[in-house]
Amino acid sequence: MAFFVGIFGIVALLELAVPRRPLTISKAGRWFTNIGIVIINTVVLRVLVPAGALGISVWIGRQGWGAFNYMNWPIWIEVILSVILLDFVIYLQHLMFHAVPLLWRLHMMHHADLDYDLTTGTRFHPIEIIISMGIKASAISVLGASPVAVIIFEVLLNGTAMFNHGNLYIPLGIDRILRLMVVTPDMHRVHHSVFPSETNSNFGFNLPWWDRLMGTYRAQPTKGHDGMTIGLNQFRDPARLTLPRIIALPFIGKGGQYALGRRGVREGTASAKKTQS
């Protein structure tokens, strides 16, 4: 929580100092909604999984379960490998939430934000958060990831999610170097475009390598960062994106033509990649 608050404050100040794009709707209203979701999700996880991912790691270690508990490797190697592999699991999870139409209905709450700033990186449906915790717990159990590795991974995941959703201006030359090691705001912003072929790209949250290796990397948005439209085509009215309404969004909102599981979206994405290459 200390890291979360600290990183949140730093990114928020940088957004004020060097914004990448002008915001299009009320920041106060969006932040009330997005931070409200954070509070709800925190309460839900504390009720369902009081000890969190760290507690799961401690319990798994006491049982001697997981691959790394059967290997006598130096702790630093186990930590590095655990963080990298857990990050790959999150990449696959993100891809899955775009590929399966039912899961997309949950995830589209995240993409329905009409602006893009650090609070967008905290905006996830409570049911998606619960599923994500289950996937994370399973990965920790299989790997036997140590508590140290889990703490580092959780801090990196939460910190980079706020950083790469930040409305920050980073010079192109510096961004080009940074995105060799970390997902930058310009890299991930493409993923929040209204164009399905761009929405279904750049799935990484922390490490940028998976998108390049798996063929889901897109360097820049078609209309440029200043000209691109953020959000989803079917949700353009801010009055319909209040806190109660976005919680109900998976059940009452239209899924649109974004889920990778839809044939037309698969063909359109493949065509766009072919054209880009």
Side-chain angles (χ1 to χ4, degrees):
M1 183 59 69
F3 276 107
F4 175 87
V5 173
I7 295 170
F8 188 99
I10 292 171
V11 176
L13 289 174
L14 288 173
E15 286 187 336
L16 291 174
V18 284
R20 183 67 169 86
R21 292 163 41 101
L23 299 178
T24 60
I25 62 174
S26 167
K27 185 175 182 178
R30 284 184 55 254
W31 277 41
F32 176 83
T33 297
N34 294 351
I35 293 175
I37 285 292
V38 174
I39 295 171
I40 291 171
N41 288 340
T42 301
V43 171
V44 168
L45 285 182
R46 285 293 175 266
V47 171
L48 297 179
V49 192
L54 178 60
I56 293 168
S57 173
V58 171
W59 187 78
I60 290 297
R62 289 174 179 171
Q63 309 307 312
W65 294 349
F68 289 126
N69 285 313
Y70 290 93
M71 301 174 184
N72 190 24
W73 289 1
I75 184 64
W76 64 271
I77 293 180
E78 293 184 9
V79 168
I80 292 174
L81 288 177
S82 293
V83 170
I84 292 174
L85 291 172
L86 286 171
D87 192 74
F88 183 52
V89 168
I90 295 300
Y91 167 85
L92 293 176
Q93 171 192 299
H94 193 180
L95 190 64
M96 179 181 72
F97 270 89
H98 278 253
V100 180
L102 183 62
L103 295 178
W104 166 250
R105 295 190 69 84
L106 296 171
H107 188 60
M108 69 182 183
M109 191 193 89
H110 175 66
H111 281 267
D113 203 346
L114 297 176
D115 270 322
Y116 184 91
D117 65 15
L118 81 159
T119 64
T120 308
T122 66
R123 171 188 171 124
F124 295 94
H125 197 277
I127 299 176
E128 179 176 355
I129 290 293
I130 294 169
I131 295 173
S132 178
M133 177 57 75
I135 293 171
K136 196 184 303 180
S138 300
I140 291 170
S141 302
V142 171
L143 292 173
S146 69
V148 173
V150 171
I151 290 174
I152 293 173
F153 170 73
E154 290 281 80
V155 169
L156 285 175
L157 182 64
N158 284 280
T160 54
M162 287 185 282
F163 166 70
N164 60 45
H165 284 89
N167 184 30
L168 308 175
Y169 172 74
I170 298 176
L172 185 60
I174 297 176
D175 178 86
R176 189 180 297 114
I177 295 171
L178 282 178
R179 69 169 66 185
L180 295 175
M181 294 301 297
V182 66
V183 175
T184 65
D186 274 13
M187 177 178 168
H188 193 69
R189 190 179 296 107
V190 179
H191 181 72
H192 283 259
S193 165
V194 293
F195 296 145
S197 60
E198 295 179 349
T199 307
N200 292 307
S201 68
N202 297 5
F203 293 98
F205 267 101
N206 179 16
L207 299 175
W209 314 327
W210 313 126
D211 283 300
R212 296 175 187 271
L213 290 171
M214 304 296 286
T216 55
Y217 176 70
R218 180 181 286 267
Q220 300 295 337
T222 302
K223 292 191 173 183
H225 289 282
D226 292 327
M228 69 182 291
T229 301
I230 301 294
L232 300 174
N233 284 319
Q234 66 269 36
F235 305 117
R236 306 309 305 170
D237 182 1
R240 294 180 174 273
L241 294 172
T242 59
L243 182 57
R245 285 178 177 268
I246 65 170
I247 291 176
L249 207 63
F251 313 106
I252 63 174
K254 296 180 180 179
Q257 298 296 317
Y258 289 90
L260 274 169
R262 293 181 178 272
R263 182 179 177 184
V265 175
R266 292 198 304 268
E267 291 173 350
T269 301
S271 176
K273 288 179 180 177
K274 185 177 180 180
T275 301
Q276 186 185 39
S277 62

